[in-house]
Amino acid sequence: MNNFIKASAALALMTITACTNNGIDDSNSVDLNAPINGSTSGLLSDQASPAYFQQSIGDRVLFLVDQASLTDEARSILAAQAGWLASNPAYSAVIEGHADEQGTREYNLALGARRANAAREYMISQGVAGDRLKVVSYGKERPLEICSEENCYAKNRRAVTVLSSDLTG
Amino acid sequence: MTNPLLNLLLALVTAVGTLVGAAHAQDGPLRIEITEGVIEPLPYAAPDFVPDSAAAAETAQQLTRVIAADLSGTGLFREIPASAHIGQVQDFAAPVQFADWKAINAQALITGGVTVSGNKLTVRFRVWDVFAGKELGNGLQFVGTTDGWRRMAHKVADAVYSRITGESGYFDSRVVFVSESGPKNERRKRLAIMDYDGANVQYLTDSSAIVLAPRFSPTGDRVLYTSYETGFPRIYVLDVGQVKRRVLESQDGTMSFAPRFAPDGKTVVFSLAEGGNTDIYSMDVSSGKTKRLSSSPSIETGPSYSPDGKQIVFESDRSGTQQLYIMSADGGAATRISFGQGRYGTPVWSPRGDLIAFTKQSKGRFHIGVMRTDGSEERLLTASFLDEGPTWAPNGRVIMFTRETKGASGRSALYSVDITGRNLRPVRTPDGASDPSWSPLQK
């Protein structure tokens, strides 16, 4: 008697064709991180330039550990950012919220969203139209500083206002 | 009908907090003693399966090695190497010479035969209780194609594991994860899928946009994940077989992330951030209709369904710090279940329904832990600079997670640990790796 149980597991293996491109390439991908370094066009002496915005006004505000409330320093920077946007109506901005690495990934996404939104709300309170300010959170995905010490973490807990002169949609 | 080995071996954990005991060689049949001591892995022998032709020799040898790697990799079994064998199995059909295997104290013996005919591969095997001098269960045969030999090996190992422990196995399963390369501040991420043991890695997306936290559907045919391809985090669903993907959730001005399938595979639960506030929503996949399940100014994220689909465990900072809560799958009031010191996140309900795995942050360290669904019997399984994101093996006995090392050169890797905290092991991946999601057992 054949006591083999014929479990003819067909084992038709899933074939997964390696995918190198999902139709997204440089031509249609929007790297919102790049402008931190990439959009600083114009002379620093030109107060209407993004370079002036970034370096003289300051394009970022920092947060305490696991906090999204704005410090006094953050408020004054955001007020100055709002003033710049008032004088330069051709620009819109995306505010990027970031967290340091001391947290779980999804919580940090939510925390970054809180931070970006706190900055946005303050700028709106300073007169910037809400439709000129979008928010995005990167959580802990895009640290600026890569050490695992508080001096790096302090710089990573940030909301960065990234200017765009032709933001659509 | 009682099978001696079922009593004797590895009764595994039948309740939380009950640790697996040692399998002692005793007079008479083997028996497991449930203790809280350190387990003594069960010694077994797996001589190379016998090829029926020269063409089958290499496959037979590789297949046997994968079976042994699966079994020994559990930490529950210890292979007695071929160099210590006294007897040889040269004919799968010939009677087993138990004395030869008793002499080297092999308590279990696995014998097999391999036939290759064209691209057709047939594997037969038997499991023997050496000291009882009996076969454990019946011989079993798998038929497939030669390029599927690894899956055949995993299926054999699952059957052996299952016969000896009385538990279902987890070796014929896959893991979808995020493959990482590049420095910490410019990390490139792409989705990848592999066998549970790190073999057969294939990439599902390119790295042009950040991708996060893929999660398998209950049948393993689809994967949910978060991608920044529009510049904003959005949830996508990918058909694994065809590598087709579509955006699942896309409301302008919002961000969506942390998706997970319901056990029925028709509903997805996820987080949506709007106006800085993150809450939990569910969506019917076919109609796209969403329902808000939480409504609170705090952060609600990391939702995971109970296996019966009736409840959702999630994390919230409504108390001031991240803690775990359970609510009905329809939303509404939630009950807090985590009360220890520290922050709790990324809860994942065990496929058995008995436990919830989580990430805990306490005193500057990260832990993977498990607790009962009422929050009792919390047990931390790991500790490191940064452990997070547990995923359950299909049998609910092993957890895989992400471990990231400290500092500027910090790198992510996958590890697995069993739910008693033993057998912590790295899972080999070609590059850095994070956010694993373990598939169900393959059919």
Side-chain angles (χ1 to χ4, degrees), chain A residues 3-7 9 11 13-17 19-22 24 32 101-107 109-110 113-114 117 135-138 140-143 146 148 153 169, chain B residues 92 139 141 143 148 151-152 155 174 184-185 187 189 202-203 206 210 212 215 228 231-232 241 245 255 258 275-276 278 299 315 317 322 343 361 385 388 406-408 435:
Chain A
N3 64 353
F4 280 101
I5 299 159
K6 294 224 176 184
L11 292 179
L13 296 179
M14 277 188 296
T15 48
I16 296 172
T17 49
C19 179
T20 53
N21 192 317
N22 283 319
I24 303 292
L32 289 175
E101 69 187 356
Q102 308 169 95
T104 48
R105 195 177 313 287
E106 290 170 345
Y107 179 83
L109 279 179
R114 257 185 192 164
N117 193 66
V135 292
V136 64
S137 174
Y138 284 94
K140 61 176 173 178
E141 302 307 313
R142 285 290 179 263
I146 58 176
S148 296
Y153 292 162
Chain B
F92 174 58
Q141 167 174 305
V143 180
R151 278 201 63 189
M152 298 263 249
K155 284 205 170 292
R174 308 201 85 195
K184 226 167 158 179
N185 54 347
R187 196 144 278 172
K189 296 190 166 195
Q202 291 169 293
Y203 296 97
D206 63 18
I210 299 171
L212 302 175
R215 273 86 186 247
Y228 280 72
F232 297 86
R245 58 137 185 52
M255 292 171 260
T278 299
I299 289 172
E315 59 174 83
D317 70 348
Q322 263 177 297
R343 296 164 61 179
Q361 278 173 267
F385 166 70
E388 70 170 307
K406 189 176 177 176
D435 294 1

Coordinates of all heavy atoms in Angstrom, one line a residue, chain A residues 3-7 9 11 13-17 19-22 24 32 101-107 109-110 113-114 117 135-138 140-143 146 148 153 169, chain B residues 92 139 141 143 148 151-152 155 174 184-185 187 189 202-203 206 210 212 215 228 231-232 241 245 255 258 275-276 278 299 315 317 322 343 361 385 388 406-408 435:
Chain A
N3 N 1.6 4.5 1.1 CA 1.2 5.4 2.1 C 1.7 6.8 1.9 O 1.7 7.6 2.9 CB 1.5 4.9 3.5 CG 3.0 4.8 3.7 OD1 3.8 5.0 2.8 ND2 3.4 4.4 4.9
F4 N 2.1 7.1 0.8 CA 2.5 8.5 0.5 C 1.2 9.3 0.2 O 0.4 8.9 -0.5 CB 3.4 8.6 -0.7 CG 4.8 8.3 -0.4 CD1 5.3 7.1 -0.8 CD2 5.6 9.3 0.2 CE1 6.6 6.8 -0.4 CE2 6.9 9.0 0.5 CZ 7.4 7.8 0.2
I5 N 1.1 10.4 0.9 CA 0.0 11.3 0.6 C 0.5 12.2 -0.5 O 1.5 12.9 -0.3 CB -0.3 12.1 1.9 CG1 -0.7 11.1 3.0 CG2 -1.4 13.1 1.6 CD1 -0.6 11.7 4.4
K6 N -0.2 12.1 -1.6 CA 0.3 12.9 -2.7 C -0.2 14.4 -2.5 O -1.3 14.7 -2.9 CB -0.2 12.4 -4.0 CG 0.4 11.0 -4.3 CD 0.9 10.9 -5.7 CE 1.6 9.5 -5.8 NZ 2.2 9.4 -7.1
A7 N 0.6 15.1 -1.9 CA 0.2 16.5 -1.7 C 0.9 17.2 -2.9 O 2.0 17.8 -2.7 CB 0.7 17.0 -0.4
A9 N 1.5 19.7 -4.2 CA 1.5 21.1 -4.1 C 2.1 21.6 -5.5 O 3.2 21.3 -5.8 CB 2.4 21.6 -3.0
L11 N 3.0 24.3 -6.4 CA 4.2 25.1 -6.3 C 4.4 25.9 -7.5 O 5.6 26.1 -7.9 CB 5.4 24.3 -6.0 CG 5.4 23.6 -4.6 CD1 6.7 22.8 -4.4 CD2 5.3 24.6 -3.5
L13 N 5.3 28.8 -8.7 CA 5.9 29.9 -8.0 C 5.5 31.2 -8.6 O 5.4 31.4 -9.7 CB 7.4 29.8 -8.0 CG 7.9 28.6 -7.3 CD1 9.4 28.5 -7.4 CD2 7.5 28.6 -5.8
M14 N 5.3 32.1 -7.6 CA 4.9 33.5 -8.1 C 6.1 34.0 -8.9 O 7.3 34.0 -8.4 CB 4.7 34.4 -6.9 CG 3.4 34.3 -6.3 SD 3.2 35.6 -5.1 CE 4.3 35.1 -3.9
T15 N 5.9 34.5 -10.0 CA 7.0 35.1 -10.7 C 6.8 36.6 -10.6 O 5.8 37.1 -10.9 CB 7.0 34.7 -12.2 OG1 5.7 34.9 -12.7 CG2 7.5 33.3 -12.4
I16 N 7.8 37.2 -10.1 CA 7.7 38.6 -10.0 C 8.7 39.2 -10.9 O 9.9 39.1 -10.7 CB 8.0 39.0 -8.5 CG1 6.9 38.4 -7.6 CG2 8.1 40.5 -8.4 CD1 7.2 38.6 -6.2
T17 N 8.2 39.9 -11.9 CA 9.2 40.5 -12.8 C 9.8 41.7 -12.0 O 9.1 42.5 -11.5 CB 8.5 41.0 -14.0 OG1 7.3 41.7 -13.7 CG2 8.1 39.8 -14.9
C19 N 11.0 45.1 -11.1 CA 10.5 46.3 -11.6 C 11.5 47.4 -11.3 O 11.9 47.6 -10.2 CB 9.2 46.6 -10.9 SG 8.5 48.2 -11.4
T20 N 12.0 48.0 -12.3 CA 13.0 49.0 -12.1 C 12.4 50.4 -12.1 O 12.9 51.4 -11.7 CB 14.1 49.0 -13.1 OG1 13.5 49.0 -14.4 CG2 14.9 47.7 -13.0
N21 N 11.2 50.5 -12.7 CA 10.6 51.8 -12.9 C 9.1 51.7 -12.9 O 8.6 51.0 -13.7 CB 11.2 52.5 -14.2 CG 10.9 53.9 -14.2 OD1 9.8 54.3 -13.9 ND2 11.8 54.7 -14.6
N22 N 8.5 52.5 -12.1 CA 7.0 52.5 -12.1 C 6.5 53.7 -12.8 O 5.4 54.2 -12.5 CB 6.5 52.5 -10.6 CG 6.6 51.1 -10.0 OD1 6.4 50.1 -10.6 ND2 7.1 51.1 -8.8
I24 N 7.9 56.5 -12.8 CA 8.3 57.7 -12.1 C 9.8 57.8 -12.4 O 10.6 56.9 -12.1 CB 8.1 57.6 -10.6 CG1 6.7 57.3 -10.3 CG2 8.6 58.8 -9.9 CD1 5.7 58.4 -10.5
L32 N 11.0 67.1 -2.9 CA 10.8 68.3 -2.1 C 12.0 68.6 -1.1 O 12.0 69.6 -0.5 CB 9.5 68.1 -1.3 CG 8.3 68.2 -2.2 CD1 7.0 67.9 -1.3 CD2 8.1 69.6 -2.8
E101 N 15.5 60.8 15.3 CA 15.3 59.4 15.1 C 14.8 58.7 16.3 O 14.6 57.5 16.3 CB 16.7 58.8 14.6 CG 17.8 58.8 15.7 CD 19.1 58.3 15.2 OE1 19.2 57.9 14.0 OE2 20.1 58.4 16.0
Q102 N 14.7 59.4 17.4 CA 14.2 58.8 18.7 C 12.7 58.6 18.7 O 12.1 59.2 19.6 CB 14.6 59.7 19.9 CG 16.0 60.1 20.0 CD 16.2 61.2 21.1 OE1 16.5 60.8 22.2 NE2 15.9 62.4 20.7
G103 N 12.2 57.8 17.8 CA 10.8 57.6 17.8 C 10.5 56.6 16.8 O 11.3 56.3 15.9
T104 N 9.3 56.0 16.9 CA 8.9 55.0 15.9 C 8.5 55.7 14.6 O 8.1 56.9 14.6 CB 7.8 54.1 16.4 OG1 6.8 55.0 17.0 CG2 8.3 53.2 17.4
R105 N 8.6 55.0 13.5 CA 8.5 55.7 12.2 C 7.1 56.4 12.0 O 7.1 57.6 11.6 CB 8.7 54.6 11.1 CG 8.9 55.2 9.7 CD 9.2 54.2 8.7 NE 10.1 53.1 9.0 CZ 11.4 53.2 9.2 NH1 12.0 54.4 8.9 NH2 12.2 52.2 9.5
E106 N 6.1 55.7 12.3 CA 4.8 56.3 12.0 C 4.4 57.4 13.0 O 3.8 58.4 12.6 CB 3.7 55.2 11.9 CG 4.0 54.3 10.6 CD 3.2 53.1 10.5 OE1 2.6 52.6 11.6 OE2 3.1 52.5 9.4
Y107 N 4.8 57.2 14.2 CA 4.5 58.3 15.2 C 5.3 59.6 14.7 O 4.8 60.7 14.8 CB 5.0 57.9 16.6 CG 4.8 59.0 17.6 CD1 3.5 59.1 18.2 CD2 5.8 59.8 17.9 CE1 3.3 60.1 19.1 CE2 5.6 60.8 18.8 CZ 4.4 61.0 19.4 OH 4.2 62.0 20.3
L109 N 6.1 60.4 11.7 CA 5.4 61.0 10.6 C 4.3 62.0 11.1 O 4.1 63.1 10.7 CB 4.8 60.0 9.7 CG 5.7 59.3 8.7 CD1 4.9 58.3 7.9 CD2 6.3 60.3 7.7
A110 N 3.5 61.4 12.1 CA 2.4 62.2 12.7 C 3.0 63.5 13.4 O 2.4 64.5 13.4 CB 1.6 61.4 13.6
A113 N 4.0 66.1 11.0 CA 2.8 66.7 10.5 C 2.3 67.8 11.5 O 2.0 68.9 11.1 CB 1.7 65.7 10.2
R114 N 2.4 67.5 12.7 CA 2.0 68.5 13.8 C 3.0 69.7 13.7 O 2.5 70.8 13.8 CB 2.2 67.8 15.1 CG 1.0 67.4 15.8 CD 1.4 66.9 17.2 NE 0.3 66.2 17.9 CZ 0.4 65.5 18.9 NH1 1.6 65.3 19.5 NH2 -0.6 64.9 19.5
N117 N 2.4 71.8 10.6 CA 1.1 72.5 10.7 C 1.2 73.6 11.7 O 0.6 74.7 11.5 CB 0.0 71.5 11.1 CG -1.3 72.1 11.0 OD1 -1.7 72.4 9.8 ND2 -2.0 72.4 12.0
V135 N 1.7 71.6 3.6 CA 2.6 70.9 4.6 C 2.9 69.5 4.1 O 2.1 68.9 3.4 CB 2.0 70.9 6.0 CG1 1.9 72.3 6.6 CG2 0.6 70.2 5.9
V136 N 4.0 69.0 4.5 CA 4.4 67.6 4.3 C 5.2 67.2 5.5 O 6.0 68.0 6.1 CB 5.1 67.4 3.0 CG1 6.5 68.1 3.0 CG2 5.3 65.9 2.7
S137 N 5.1 65.9 5.9 CA 5.9 65.4 7.0 C 6.8 64.4 6.4 O 6.4 63.5 5.7 CB 5.0 64.8 8.1 OG 5.9 64.2 9.1
Y138 N 8.1 64.5 6.9 CA 9.1 63.4 6.5 C 9.4 62.5 7.7 O 10.2 61.6 7.6 CB 10.3 64.0 6.0 CG 10.2 64.5 4.5 CD1 9.8 65.8 4.3 CD2 10.3 63.6 3.5 CE1 9.7 66.2 3.0 CE2 10.2 64.0 2.2 CZ 9.8 65.3 1.9 OH 9.6 65.7 0.6
K140 N 11.1 60.8 10.5 CA 12.6 60.7 10.7 C 13.3 60.3 9.4 O 14.5 59.9 9.5 CB 12.9 59.8 11.9 CG 12.4 58.3 11.7 CD 12.9 57.5 12.8 CE 12.3 56.1 12.8 NZ 12.7 55.2 13.9
E141 N 12.6 60.4 8.3 CA 13.2 59.9 7.1 C 14.4 60.7 6.5 O 15.1 60.2 5.7 CB 12.1 59.7 6.0 CG 11.0 58.8 6.4 CD 11.5 57.4 6.9 OE1 12.4 56.8 6.2 OE2 11.1 57.0 8.0
R142 N 14.4 62.0 6.8 CA 15.4 62.9 6.2 C 16.1 63.7 7.2 O 15.9 65.0 7.3 CB 14.7 63.8 5.2 CG 14.3 63.1 3.9 CD 15.6 62.8 3.1 NE 15.3 62.1 1.8 CZ 15.3 60.8 1.7 NH1 15.7 60.0 2.7 NH2 15.1 60.2 0.5
P143 N 16.9 63.1 8.1 CA 17.7 63.9 9.0 C 18.7 64.8 8.3 O 19.2 64.4 7.3 CB 18.4 62.8 9.9 CG 18.5 61.7 8.9 CD 17.3 61.7 8.1
I146 N 23.5 63.6 11.1 CA 23.4 62.1 11.2 C 24.0 61.5 12.4 O 24.0 60.3 12.6 CB 24.0 61.5 9.9 CG1 25.4 61.8 9.8 CG2 23.2 61.9 8.7 CD1 26.1 61.1 8.6
S148 N 24.1 60.5 16.4 CA 23.0 60.0 17.3 C 23.1 60.7 18.7 O 23.1 60.1 19.7 CB 23.0 58.5 17.5 OG 22.7 57.9 16.2
Y153 N 20.2 65.8 17.0 CA 18.8 65.6 17.1 C 18.1 67.0 17.1 O 17.0 67.2 16.5 CB 18.4 64.9 18.4 CG 18.8 63.4 18.4 CD1 18.8 62.7 19.6 CD2 19.1 62.7 17.2 CE1 19.2 61.4 19.6 CE2 19.4 61.4 17.2 CZ 19.5 60.7 18.4 OH 19.8 59.4 18.4
G169 N -1.5 73.3 -8.1 CA -2.4 72.2 -7.5 C -2.5 72.4 -6.0 O -2.3 71.6 -5.3
Chain B
F92 N 16.1 5.3 0.1 CA 15.0 5.9 0.9 C 14.0 4.8 1.3 O 13.4 4.9 2.3 CB 14.4 7.0 0.0 CG 13.1 7.6 0.7 CD1 13.2 8.2 1.9 CD2 11.9 7.5 0.0 CE1 12.1 8.7 2.5 CE2 10.8 8.1 0.6 CZ 10.8 8.7 1.8
G139 N 4.7 9.0 5.3 CA 5.5 9.6 4.3 C 4.7 10.6 3.5 O 3.5 10.5 3.4
Q141 N 4.8 13.4 0.0 CA 5.5 13.6 -1.3 C 5.0 15.0 -1.8 O 3.9 15.3 -1.8 CB 5.1 12.5 -2.3 CG 5.5 12.8 -3.7 CD 5.2 11.6 -4.6 OE1 5.7 10.5 -4.3 NE2 4.4 11.8 -5.6
V143 N 5.3 17.5 -5.2 CA 5.7 17.5 -6.7 C 5.7 19.0 -7.1 O 4.8 19.7 -6.8 CB 4.7 16.7 -7.5 CG1 5.1 16.7 -9.0 CG2 4.6 15.3 -7.0
G148 N 11.6 25.5 -8.2 CA 10.9 25.7 -7.0 C 11.5 24.9 -5.8 O 10.8 24.7 -4.8
R151 N 11.3 26.3 -2.2 CA 9.9 26.2 -1.6 C 9.6 24.8 -1.2 O 8.9 24.6 -0.2 CB 8.9 26.7 -2.6 CG 8.8 28.2 -2.6 CD 7.4 28.7 -3.1 NE 6.3 28.2 -2.3 CZ 5.0 28.4 -2.7 NH1 4.7 28.9 -3.9 NH2 4.1 28.0 -1.9
M152 N 10.0 23.8 -2.0 CA 9.8 22.4 -1.6 C 10.5 22.1 -0.3 O 9.9 21.4 0.6 CB 10.3 21.5 -2.7 CG 9.7 21.7 -4.0 SD 8.4 20.5 -4.2 CE 9.2 19.5 -5.5
K155 N 8.6 23.5 2.5 CA 7.4 22.8 2.8 C 7.7 21.5 3.6 O 6.9 21.1 4.5 CB 6.6 22.4 1.5 CG 5.9 23.6 0.9 CD 4.8 23.2 0.0 CE 3.9 24.4 -0.4 NZ 3.1 24.9 0.7
R174 N 7.0 34.5 2.9 CA 7.8 35.5 2.3 C 7.7 36.7 3.3 O 6.9 36.8 4.1 CB 7.3 35.9 0.9 CG 7.2 34.6 0.0 CD 7.2 35.0 -1.4 NE 8.6 35.1 -1.9 CZ 9.0 35.7 -3.0 NH1 8.0 36.3 -3.8 NH2 10.2 35.8 -3.4
K184 N 22.7 58.0 5.9 CA 21.5 58.2 6.8 C 20.7 59.4 6.3 O 19.5 59.4 6.4 CB 22.0 58.5 8.2 CG 21.2 57.8 9.3 CD 22.0 57.9 10.5 CE 21.2 57.8 11.7 NZ 22.0 57.9 13.0
N185 N 21.4 60.5 5.8 CA 20.6 61.7 5.4 C 20.2 61.7 4.0 O 19.6 62.6 3.5 CB 21.5 62.9 5.8 CG 22.9 62.9 5.2 OD1 23.3 61.8 4.7 ND2 23.6 64.0 5.2
R187 N 19.1 58.5 2.5 CA 18.8 57.1 2.3 C 17.9 56.9 1.2 O 16.9 57.5 1.0 CB 18.3 56.6 3.6 CG 18.3 55.1 3.7 CD 18.6 54.6 5.1 NE 20.0 54.7 5.5 CZ 20.5 54.5 6.7 NH1 19.6 54.2 7.7 NH2 21.7 54.5 6.9
K189 N 15.3 54.2 -0.6 CA 14.5 53.1 -0.1 C 13.7 52.6 -1.3 O 13.2 53.3 -2.1 CB 13.6 53.6 1.0 CG 14.3 54.1 2.3 CD 13.3 54.3 3.4 CE 14.0 54.5 4.7 NZ 13.1 54.4 5.9
Q202 N 13.7 40.1 -4.5 CA 13.3 40.8 -5.7 C 12.8 42.2 -5.3 O 12.2 42.4 -4.3 CB 12.2 40.0 -6.4 CG 12.7 38.7 -7.0 CD 11.5 37.8 -7.4 OE1 10.8 37.3 -6.6 NE2 11.4 37.6 -8.7
Y203 N 13.0 43.1 -6.2 CA 12.7 44.5 -5.9 C 11.3 44.8 -6.6 O 11.1 44.5 -7.7 CB 13.8 45.5 -6.3 CG 15.0 45.2 -5.5 CD1 16.1 44.4 -6.0 CD2 15.2 45.7 -4.2 CE1 17.2 44.1 -5.3 CE2 16.3 45.4 -3.5 CZ 17.3 44.6 -4.0 OH 18.4 44.3 -3.2
D206 N 11.4 51.1 -7.6 CA 12.7 51.7 -7.6 C 12.9 52.7 -6.4 O 12.0 52.7 -5.6 CB 13.0 52.5 -9.0 CG 12.0 53.6 -9.1 OD1 11.4 54.1 -8.2 OD2 11.8 54.1 -10.3
I210 N 10.7 58.0 -1.5 CA 10.7 57.3 -0.2 C 9.5 56.3 -0.2 O 8.4 56.7 -0.5 CB 10.6 58.3 0.9 CG1 11.8 59.2 0.9 CG2 10.6 57.5 2.3 CD1 11.7 60.4 1.9
L212 N 7.7 53.4 2.5 CA 7.7 53.0 4.0 C 6.7 51.9 4.2 O 5.7 51.8 3.6 CB 7.3 54.2 4.8 CG 8.1 55.5 4.7 CD1 7.4 56.6 5.5 CD2 9.5 55.3 5.2
R215 N 2.9 46.3 4.0 CA 2.1 45.3 4.7 C 1.4 44.4 3.8 O 0.6 44.8 2.9 CB 1.1 46.0 5.7 CG 1.7 46.3 7.0 CD 2.4 47.7 7.0 NE 3.1 48.1 8.2 CZ 2.7 49.0 9.0 NH1 1.6 49.7 8.8 NH2 3.4 49.3 10.1
Y228 N 6.2 58.4 -1.3 CA 6.2 59.9 -1.5 C 6.3 60.2 -3.0 O 6.8 61.3 -3.3 CB 7.5 60.5 -0.8 CG 7.3 60.7 0.7 CD1 7.3 59.6 1.6 CD2 7.2 61.9 1.3 CE1 7.1 59.8 2.9 CE2 7.0 62.1 2.6 CZ 7.0 61.0 3.5 OH 6.9 61.2 4.8
G231 N 5.3 63.5 -3.8 CA 5.9 64.5 -2.9 C 5.2 64.5 -1.6 O 5.8 65.1 -0.6
F232 N 4.1 63.9 -1.4 CA 3.4 63.8 -0.2 C 3.1 62.3 0.1 O 2.9 61.5 -0.8 CB 2.1 64.5 -0.2 CG 2.2 66.0 -0.5 CD1 2.4 66.5 -1.8 CD2 2.3 66.9 0.6 CE1 2.5 67.8 -2.0 CE2 2.5 68.2 0.3 CZ 2.6 68.7 -1.0
G241 N 2.0 39.8 -7.7 CA 2.3 38.9 -8.8 C 2.6 39.8 -10.1 O 3.4 39.4 -10.9
R245 N 0.7 48.8 -9.3 CA 0.3 49.5 -8.1 C -0.7 50.6 -8.5 O -0.7 51.1 -9.6 CB 1.5 50.0 -7.4 CG 2.3 50.9 -8.3 CD 2.8 52.1 -7.5 NE 3.5 53.1 -8.3 CZ 3.1 53.7 -9.4 NH1 2.1 53.2 -10.0 NH2 3.8 54.6 -9.9
M255 N -2.1 63.8 4.4 CA -1.1 62.8 4.3 C -1.7 61.5 4.8 O -2.3 61.5 5.8 CB 0.2 63.2 5.1 CG 0.9 64.4 4.5 SD 2.2 64.9 5.7 CE 1.4 66.3 6.5
A258 N 0.6 54.4 7.4 CA 0.3 53.4 8.4 C -0.9 52.5 7.9 O -1.8 52.2 8.8 CB 0.1 54.0 9.7
G275 N -4.5 69.0 8.8 CA -4.4 70.1 9.7 C -3.5 69.8 10.9 O -3.8 70.3 12.0
G276 N -2.5 69.0 10.7 CA -1.6 68.6 11.8 C -2.1 67.5 12.7 O -1.4 67.1 13.6
T278 N -3.6 63.7 13.4 CA -3.6 62.4 12.7 C -4.6 61.5 13.4 O -4.6 61.3 14.6 CB -2.2 61.8 12.9 OG1 -1.2 62.6 12.2 CG2 -2.1 60.4 12.3
I299 N -2.5 62.3 18.4 CA -2.0 61.4 17.3 C -2.6 60.0 17.5 O -2.4 59.4 18.6 CB -0.5 61.4 17.3 CG1 0.1 62.7 16.9 CG2 0.0 60.2 16.4 CD1 1.6 62.8 17.0
E315 N -2.0 53.0 18.4 CA -1.3 53.9 19.4 C -1.8 55.3 19.4 O -2.3 55.8 18.3 CB 0.2 53.9 19.1 CG 0.5 54.4 17.7 CD 2.0 54.6 17.5 OE1 2.6 53.6 17.1 OE2 2.5 55.7 17.6
D317 N -1.3 59.3 21.6 CA -0.6 60.0 22.6 C -1.7 60.9 23.4 O -1.3 61.9 24.0 CB 0.5 60.9 22.1 CG 0.1 62.0 21.2 OD1 -1.1 62.1 20.8 OD2 1.0 62.9 20.9
Q322 N 2.8 58.3 24.0 CA 2.4 57.2 23.1 C 2.0 56.0 24.0 O 2.8 55.5 24.7 CB 3.5 56.7 22.3 CG 3.6 57.2 20.9 CD 4.9 56.7 20.2 OE1 6.0 57.0 20.6 NE2 4.7 55.9 19.2
R343 N 7.1 54.7 26.4 CA 6.2 54.9 25.3 C 6.0 53.6 24.5 O 7.0 52.9 24.3 CB 6.8 56.0 24.4 CG 7.0 57.3 25.1 CD 7.9 58.3 24.3 NE 7.4 58.5 23.0 CZ 8.1 59.3 22.1 NH1 9.2 59.9 22.5 NH2 7.6 59.6 20.9
Q361 N 9.7 52.3 24.0 CA 10.8 53.2 24.3 C 10.8 53.5 25.8 O 9.8 54.0 26.3 CB 10.6 54.5 23.6 CG 11.0 54.6 22.2 CD 10.6 55.9 21.6 OE1 9.5 56.1 21.1 NE2 11.4 56.9 21.7
F385 N 19.7 50.1 20.8 CA 19.6 51.6 20.5 C 18.3 51.9 19.8 O 17.7 52.9 20.1 CB 20.8 52.0 19.7 CG 20.7 53.3 19.1 CD1 20.7 54.4 19.9 CD2 20.5 53.5 17.7 CE1 20.6 55.7 19.3 CE2 20.3 54.7 17.1 CZ 20.4 55.8 17.9
E388 N 12.4 48.5 16.3 CA 11.0 48.9 16.1 C 10.3 48.0 15.0 O 11.0 47.3 14.3 CB 10.9 50.3 15.7 CG 11.4 50.7 14.3 CD 11.0 52.1 13.9 OE1 9.8 52.5 14.0 OE2 11.9 52.9 13.5
K406 N 23.5 52.8 16.0 CA 23.6 54.2 16.4 C 24.7 54.9 15.5 O 25.6 54.3 15.0 CB 24.1 54.1 17.9 CG 24.1 55.5 18.6 CD 24.5 55.3 20.0 CE 24.6 56.6 20.7 NZ 24.8 56.5 22.1
G407 N 24.5 56.2 15.4 CA 25.5 57.0 14.9 C 25.5 57.3 13.5 O 24.6 56.9 12.8
A408 N 26.5 58.1 13.0 CA 26.5 58.6 11.6 C 26.5 57.4 10.6 O 26.0 57.6 9.5 CB 27.7 59.5 11.4
D435 N 11.4 47.7 8.2 CA 9.9 47.6 8.0 C 9.5 46.2 7.4 O 8.8 46.2 6.4 CB 9.4 48.7 7.2 CG 9.5 50.1 7.8 OD1 10.0 50.1 8.9 OD2 9.1 51.1 7.2

